[in-house]
Amino acid sequence: MSSARVGAIRSQSQLKVTSTGSSSFRSPHAPRNSVLLGDNVPLMAGLPAESVDLVFADPPYNLQLANALTRPDQSRVDAVDDDWDKFADFSAYDSFTRDWLAAARRVMKPNATIFVIGSYHNIFRVGAMMQDLGFWILNDIVWRKTNPMPNFRGRRFTNAHETLIWAARDSSCRSYTFHYEALKAGNEDCQMRSDWLLPICTGGERLKDAAGRKTHPTQKPEALLARVMLAASNPGDLVLDPFFGSGTTGAVAKRLGRDYLGLERDPAYAAAARERIAAIEPLPDEAIAAAPTKRSAPRIAFASLVESGLVAAGAMLTDLHGRHRAMVRPDGALALGQIVGSIHKIGALAQGLPACNGWTFWHFESGGGALAPIDDLRTIARASLAAAAE
């Protein structure tokens, strides 16, 4: 059974919301597709070490709002003034942050990564503590909001973004999940950038109570969580959210065939999340199956292309602009004048550079005078191998 199907079956099982005495919680296996009620640090202490594949954390931002915010027409801004975002001082917030980060790091698998989102109020303190605890920061990502709240007093720039820190468990991690090719394909064959332009959560996606008030003041848009999971997890992976809130992480995980574990201390938020997730329909396996990557594809040597006749011995290869020319030898090497070497070595020497990806540097005439990289021929060879194996 495919990992995608396993994840989908798990996601369709009944959502469990468990109320637990946090100090006594213990589980030999990390629960899946569950919401645990209680404080997240003792709950994480009850989970087995190295048991989760990805962590997404949306902790309190410690906004330090001393007074109510009002618009120019004197209407009140629905800001975050809940008790869970209030701390006595920076020291108290730092202690809180250090505790939950350390607990999350313990349950991360060696190749797991973590995303932490915040604003200018807290993200710099969070980042410093992550480094102190041994996390290895991979990227900071700017979520640019298409529709941010304006600065009504006109005394500052409009706060139009939030920052995510993406980090591995430690600096030795080299095999963390990152779907580079899939993200690039969805971005019109351009590398996915570290600034993401996405709208805030509005409209039908926003959860509201019977009186029409926001169920949760800082509900994140599903598009944001989808990009996180599609970038850094696989179908069937377990995604931990230690600040589950309205359940956006669980809703997106279920739709994308991932498993989730939410930790939430507010029963009302957990109940809203449960209802929301129950209504989600998982996508079909073929829609969420991990796309093959170049690294996972079978290795093809340039000599194999010559031997198969895809490239003729004696043919001339050029760079895209026709400034450099090299001859293909029957043994699969290239000749640049009297110098003979691999497609990579000759490409580097031609440019006077220390290294070169010969597959993308060297081009052949594909017909009608058009040039194409020899990597296209490698793709053809791989397709032939796959067809022969069927």
Side-chain angles (χ1 to χ4, degrees):
M1 183 179 294
S2 70
S3 59
R5 172 55 61 189
V6 171
I9 290 174
R10 285 171 176 159
S11 295
Q12 292 177 57
S13 62
Q14 183 178 4
L15 171 66
K16 301 175 183 176
V17 180
T18 304
S19 180
T20 178
S22 300
S23 61
S24 61
F25 172 73
R26 289 290 184 273
S27 175
H29 306 287
R32 288 177 177 261
N33 304 317
S34 302
V35 181
L36 302 181
L37 294 177
D39 292 330
N40 58 22
V41 171
L43 286 175
M44 284 188 279
L47 299 176
E50 301 184 356
S51 57
V52 304
D53 301 285
L54 176 66
V55 179
F56 177 82
D58 183 11
Y61 288 7
N62 192 26
L63 296 179
Q64 309 143 53
L65 296 178
N67 302 303
L69 297 178
T70 57
R71 299 181 178 86
D73 63 2
Q74 300 307 306
S75 61
R76 181 176 176 133
V77 175
D78 187 13
V80 180
D81 56 3
D82 303 75
D83 289 340
W84 50 257
D85 194 57
K86 296 176 181 177
F87 295 84
D89 49 32
F90 285 126
S91 177
Y93 185 77
D94 290 351
S95 178
F96 160 82
T97 301
R98 191 176 296 106
D99 288 347
W100 77 256
L101 279 171
R105 187 170 183 266
R106 186 190 71 85
V107 301
M108 291 170 62
K109 293 179 180 178
N111 61 347
T113 58
I114 180 173
F115 287 81
V116 185
I117 188 169
S119 68
Y120 68 88
H121 303 87
N122 71 324
I123 199 64
F124 304 109
R125 308 182 78 86
V126 171
M129 275 178 275
M130 291 179 75
Q131 291 179 314
D132 289 344
L133 288 169
F135 289 99
W136 187 254
I137 295 178
L138 301 170
N139 275 113
D140 66 327
I141 299 163
V142 175
W143 167 29
R144 295 171 52 216
K145 302 175 182 179
T146 58
N147 47 348
M149 181 185 297
N151 184 265
F152 294 112
R153 295 176 181 172
R155 303 281 297 187
R156 302 184 185 184
F157 297 108
T158 296
N159 185 25
H161 77 277
E162 293 183 29
T163 301
L164 296 92
I165 295 175
W166 181 39
R169 197 181 74 168
D170 54 55
S171 60
S172 66
C173 180
R174 293 290 183 270
S175 58
Y176 56 85
T177 298
F178 180 53
H179 295 295
Y180 169 82
E181 283 96 349
L183 292 172
K184 183 178 179 181
N187 196 39
E188 301 195 16
D189 289 327
C190 294
Q191 289 186 357
M192 182 63 70
R193 293 162 52 106
S194 62
D195 54 336
W196 298 354
L197 183 63
L198 298 167
I200 63 174
C201 184
T202 58
E205 186 180 322
R206 169 69 73 174
L207 299 189
K208 295 183 179 180
D209 61 19
R213 296 173 301 222
K214 296 177 183 177
T215 299
H216 194 287
T218 63
Q219 181 179 335
K220 294 300 183 289
E222 292 186 9
L224 179 68
L225 269 296
R227 187 168 294 184
V228 165
M229 291 187 208
L230 291 171
S233 71
N234 296 303
D237 279 356
L238 178 59
V239 183
L240 170 68
D241 186 337
F243 303 93
F244 203 57
S246 60
T248 302
T249 298
V252 174
K254 182 178 178 182
R255 181 174 289 116
L256 297 179
R258 277 69 171 165
D259 292 339
Y260 62 88
L261 174 58
L263 311 181
E264 178 53 54
R265 67 182 186 182
D266 188 316
Y269 290 161
R274 179 183 189 182
E275 182 178 356
R276 174 187 186 183
I277 296 168
I280 296 295
E281 289 293 331
L283 291 170
D285 286 356
E286 56 270 24
I288 59 173
T293 66
K294 289 185 178 180
R295 290 184 180 182
S296 65
R299 185 178 180 276
I300 300 289
F302 183 68
S304 299
L305 304 186
V306 179
E307 293 164 354
S308 65
L310 288 173
V311 180
M316 300 300 296
L317 301 182
T318 71
D319 69 297
L320 180 60
H321 303 290
R323 292 176 294 203
H324 307 287
R325 294 169 59 84
M327 178 179 290
V328 178
R329 290 167 47 94
D331 56 8
L334 294 188
L336 183 67
Q338 299 301 311
I339 305 173
V340 175
S342 71
I343 57 174
H344 310 298
K345 178 181 177 180
I346 297 302
L349 288 173
Q351 301 173 88
L353 298 175
C356 169
N357 182 347
W359 290 109
T360 56
F361 177 73
W362 293 113
H363 288 64
F364 68 99
E365 188 172 329
S366 60
L371 294 176
I374 58 174
D375 199 28
D376 288 359
L377 299 176
R378 181 167 62 164
T379 300
I380 294 172
R382 283 174 172 155
S384 297
L385 283 176
E390 292 179 353

